[in-house]
Amino acid sequence: MTPEQLAAAIRAALTELVAAGELAVEVPDDLRVERPRQAGHGDWSSNVAMQLAKKAGMPPREVAAKLAAKLEAVDGIAAVEVAGPGFLNLTLDAASAGELARTIVGAGTAYGRGRSEAGRVVNLEYISANPTGPLHIGHTRWAALGDAMVRLLRAAGAQVAAEYYINDAGGQVVKLGGSVLAKLRGEPAPEGGYDGEYVEALAEAVRAAHPDILDLPADEALNAAWDVAYPIQLAQIQDTLERFHVVFDVWFSERALHDAGAVEQAVTRLREQGHVFDSEGAIWLRTTAFGDDKDRVLIRANGVPTYFAADAAYYLSKKDRGFDQKIYLLGADHHGYINRLKAIAACAGDDPEHNIEVKIGQLVSIAGERMGKRRGNALYMDELIEWIGSDALRYSLARYPADSPLSLDGEELRRQTNDNPVFYVQYAHARTSNVARLAAEDGVRTEDGFDPSLLSDPTEAALLAILGDYPRVVAQAASLLEPHRVARYLENLAAHFHKWYDTCRVRPMNADEPVTDLHRTRLWLNDATRVVLANGLELLGVSAPERM
C-alpha cells in the first residue's frame, strides 16, 4: 500500500462517515499522510481529524476515533492508534507495506514524479553572469541550485524554461573591452575593469584577430576588442556549464532587446498602463506605488535607457512568451532588486505575489575567503570542477538552503568516507548495484518470486516507509523550490539502507543454502532502494555510480 493509497482509504472512510450522517464536513481533496517523527508511532500518520474537528463540531479525538473504526477494517492496515490531541497513527501489515517494493521497481525512473505542480508555466532565470569573465564560485552555487529547481519542478509536472540572460549591452561592454586594451598596452585595468589570467588570454586572441588594434581610433578599438572577446568568453561560460551538467533552454541577449526596440516599446506599454511619468527631462516609472523605496528612471534626460528599462522590457518579454510565473535567482548583493522587480510586475498588470518570485542566495566561501571576479585571485567554476568534481560540488551546494551562508572545504568533499555526504549516498547506490550483481551470480532473481509478507524485519519496515515517502519529498521540494530537502532525504534513505544491509541477507549464506522467496523478495527491496537513490540523485544533477 502506497501513501497515496492510504490517503485514498482515509478519504473513503470520511466519505462513508459523512454519508452515514456521523460527520458533517466536506471531505478534503488534498489529504496526505506523513511519516511520524518518532519511532513506534506507526508507519504513517495523519492529522486530518484535527483539521476537521471544528467544522464537525466535536473534539479531534472523537473524529479520529470514528475514522479509526473504519480504517481498522481496511485490508493492508494492521493497526490504527488515536494519539495525542487527535493524530491517526497507522501501521501497515508486512504484505501491504512490502508491495511497495514491486511498485517502485515497476515504475522505475517515473517513481516520485507527479502532478502536484501541473499547470504551472514557469520561466526560471538563474546565473545570468555578465559575459566578462569565467564563472566563479558564487555562480557555481546558483548553477547547482537553479538546475536542481528546474529538475524538481518538471518532476512535479510543471512546464519550465530554464533561461540565461546575457548582459551583452551597456557598461560591461566598455569595461571588458577597456580591460583587454589595457592589457595589450601593458597598462593597469581601468577603474571597475577586469584583471586576471583570462584577460591576458582574451588580449592575445584580440591581437591575433586585429594585429593593428592599438593603431585604431579609441571607439573602433573598443568595439573590435569586445567583438572578439565577447563570443570567446560566452563560449567558455557555456562550455563550463556543460561540464557541470547544466542545460539552458534559452540564452536571451540583452542586446537583442535594444536592437528590436523592445525597451522603447516597454516604456510605451507601461505608460499606457498609467505608471510612467516625465520629470526633469527624464522618463520615470512610478514604482513607489507598488512598494519600491523610490521611483525609477527608465530613460535618462540624455535619451539613454537605464538598466532598469531593460529589466522592464525583459520582464514584459517573459510575459509575452506565455510564462505565467517568472522566477529570478539572484546573488546576495541584489536584495534591492526584489521590490523593483515586483514593482515592474505590478506596473505590467501582473500580481507580484503570484506572477513573480525572487530568491536571494547567500555567499559561498572557500577556506573563509570570499571570491570576486574582478580580483585576480578569484576561484573559478572550472577550477572547482577539476579540484572537487562535479558530483561532490553539485551535491554539497544543493544540500543547504539558498539563503544560508556556506563555507566549503574542498579537501573534505574529495574524501571517500562516510563523513562525506555525497560519497555516503553514492556508495549506497553502488552497494545496491553490487548486491544485485552478486545475487544474480547466486541465482537470486526477482522474476522467480515475490512474497511481500516476508519483509517483516523492523529494518525492512523502516526502509519501506522511507521509500514510500519519496514522492511527498519531491512534491514538497518542488513547491518550495528547496532542493536541499531531496539531499537530506537521500542521506536518511542511505542510512536506512546500510542498516538493513547489515541486518538482512539478500544472498544465501553459502552454496549449500537454497535460494528462497525471502532472498528474492529482499532483492526486490534492494532494487527499489536503488531506483529511489538514482532518481533522487538525478534531480540534483548528480551521477549514481554502480561501482565505487
Side-chain angles (χ1 to χ4, degrees):
M1 180 176 285
T2 66
E4 292 77 12
Q5 291 170 330
L6 192 56
I10 297 175
R11 277 195 297 271
L14 279 170
T15 302
E16 288 182 24
L17 290 169
V18 170
E22 296 187 50
L23 285 178
V25 296
E26 183 176 338
V27 179
D29 292 328
D30 186 21
L31 192 156
R32 298 181 181 181
V33 295
E34 295 185 349
R35 290 278 296 137
R37 293 183 179 181
Q38 295 182 354
H41 286 193
D43 297 320
W44 298 97
S45 179
S46 173
N47 65 351
V48 66
M50 291 182 287
Q51 292 176 349
L52 300 178
K54 186 175 182 180
K55 293 180 180 179
M58 61 181 65
R61 285 186 62 89
E62 187 175 338
V63 176
K66 290 178 179 294
L67 280 169
K70 292 286 184 181
L71 293 170
E72 285 172 348
V74 174
D75 288 341
I77 296 179
V80 184
E81 176 193 15
V82 177
F87 285 103
L88 281 171
N89 292 335
L90 303 106
T91 301
L92 304 182
D93 63 38
S96 179
E99 187 63 37
L100 179 65
R102 182 157 56 183
T103 298
I104 293 172
V105 174
T109 57
Y111 183 69
R113 293 182 172 270
R115 304 291 295 167
S116 60
E117 301 300 317
R120 290 180 70 179
V121 182
V122 179
N123 179 288
L124 202 159
E125 180 208 336
Y126 61 104
I127 306 177
S128 296
N130 291 342
T132 52
L135 299 176
H136 58 67
I137 177 64
H139 303 132
T140 307
R141 186 176 197 182
W142 274 132
L145 285 171
D147 185 64
M149 290 177 188
V150 170
R151 293 169 186 247
L152 276 168
L153 284 169
R154 287 174 177 163
Q159 180 181 332
V160 188
E163 186 153 315
Y164 189 115
Y165 183 53
I166 311 168
N167 301 112
D168 53 0
Q172 62 272 8
V173 174
V174 176
K175 290 176 183 177
L176 181 63
S179 300
V180 170
L181 289 175
K183 190 67 66 175
L184 289 170
R185 296 185 182 116
E187 300 172 353
E191 184 177 354
Y194 304 96
D195 203 355
E197 294 181 3
Y198 79 92
V199 180
E200 295 180 9
L202 291 175
E204 290 307 312
V206 169
R207 189 196 307 275
H210 299 285
D212 60 343
I213 189 169
L214 297 182
D215 298 327
L216 297 175
D219 288 347
E220 290 185 30
L222 193 65
N223 289 334
W226 169 260
D227 288 342
V228 173
Y230 160 65
I232 292 174
Q233 198 56 60
L234 181 61
Q236 184 191 53
I237 289 173
Q238 292 171 329
D239 179 66
T240 299
L241 291 172
E242 184 177 341
R243 292 180 61 208
F244 205 46
H245 311 298
V246 173
V247 177
F248 283 94
D249 303 298
V250 179
W251 291 81
F252 194 99
S253 165
E254 180 187 355
R255 179 181 290 187
L257 276 177
H258 291 276
D259 292 345
V263 175
E264 292 78 7
Q265 293 167 18
V267 173
T268 300
R269 289 172 63 179
L270 292 171
R271 189 185 290 277
E272 291 171 352
Q273 293 275 356
H275 304 299
V276 171
F277 66 96
D278 300 303
S279 178
E280 301 176 352
I283 300 175
W284 300 67
L285 187 65
R286 190 173 284 105
T287 56
T288 52
F290 301 100
D292 200 2
D293 59 342
K294 62 181 179 180
D295 294 325
R296 302 289 170 176
V297 176
L298 291 168
I299 308 295
R300 300 181 181 92
N302 61 4
V304 177
T306 62
Y307 284 119
F308 184 71
D311 289 339
Y314 184 38
Y315 182 88
L316 289 173
S317 167
K318 293 180 179 181
K319 181 175 181 177
D320 292 345
R321 285 182 278 147
F323 296 109
D324 177 61
Q325 190 174 22
K326 302 88 174 169
I327 301 174
Y328 294 76
L329 310 188
L330 303 179
D333 56 346
H334 285 71
H335 275 281
Y337 279 71
I338 297 177
N339 284 341
R340 298 181 211 175
L341 289 170
K342 286 184 173 290
I344 290 174
C347 290
D350 281 349
D351 179 359
E353 299 305 315
H354 167 74
N355 297 112
I356 184 170
E357 182 174 358
V358 183
K359 299 189 78 69
I360 300 293
Q362 290 301 314
L363 297 173
V364 185
S365 64
I366 299 291
E369 183 179 4
R370 293 177 179 177
M371 300 297 168
K373 182 170 58 175
R374 291 195 178 97
R375 292 158 49 188
N377 66 344
L379 185 57
Y380 299 122
M381 186 186 294
D382 282 321
E383 296 169 326
L384 287 166
I385 294 172
E386 290 294 333
W387 175 27
I388 298 173
S390 177
D391 281 349
L393 193 56
R394 285 195 61 144
Y395 189 94
S396 62
L397 290 169
R399 74 186 295 264
Y400 295 95
D403 57 0
S404 298
L406 181 58
S407 179
L408 296 178
D409 186 325
E411 291 306 317
E412 283 188 7
L413 295 176
R414 287 161 51 88
R415 294 189 186 118
Q416 295 195 347
T417 66
N418 286 340
D419 293 332
N420 180 355
V422 65
F423 174 82
Y424 187 68
V425 173
Q426 287 184 315
Y427 179 66
H429 183 271
R431 178 174 263 185
T432 64
S433 299
N434 189 55
V435 167
R437 281 193 301 270
L438 296 176
E441 293 175 6
D442 291 344
V444 181
R445 303 187 305 177
T446 54
E447 58 265 33
D448 289 344
F450 178 69
D451 183 353
S453 66
L454 298 175
L455 298 176
S456 57
D457 188 89
T459 62
E460 290 168 331
L463 181 55
L464 283 162
I466 192 171
L467 289 171
D469 203 29
Y470 177 66
R472 182 198 63 82
V473 171
V474 173
Q476 186 178 55
S479 174
L480 299 174
L481 294 178
E482 293 183 345
H484 69 273
R485 293 175 180 273
V486 175
R488 298 311 174 103
Y489 166 86
L490 292 174
E491 291 162 35
N492 193 17
L493 173 57
H496 279 78
F497 170 76
H498 291 310
K499 187 173 182 179
W500 171 73
Y501 176 89
D502 292 338
T503 303
C504 299
R505 288 190 61 84
V506 174
R507 304 162 57 205
M509 184 70 71
N510 52 58
D512 296 330
E513 181 183 348
V515 174
T516 67
D517 276 348
L518 178 59
H519 298 118
R520 300 182 187 103
T521 304
R522 284 177 171 170
L523 182 57
W524 280 95
L525 181 54
N526 175 83
D527 291 355
T529 305
R530 183 169 74 251
V531 166
V532 176
L533 287 168
N535 290 356
L537 286 168
E538 194 277 333
L539 289 177
L540 302 179
V542 177
S543 70
E546 295 188 358
R547 299 176 186 270
M548 292 183 71

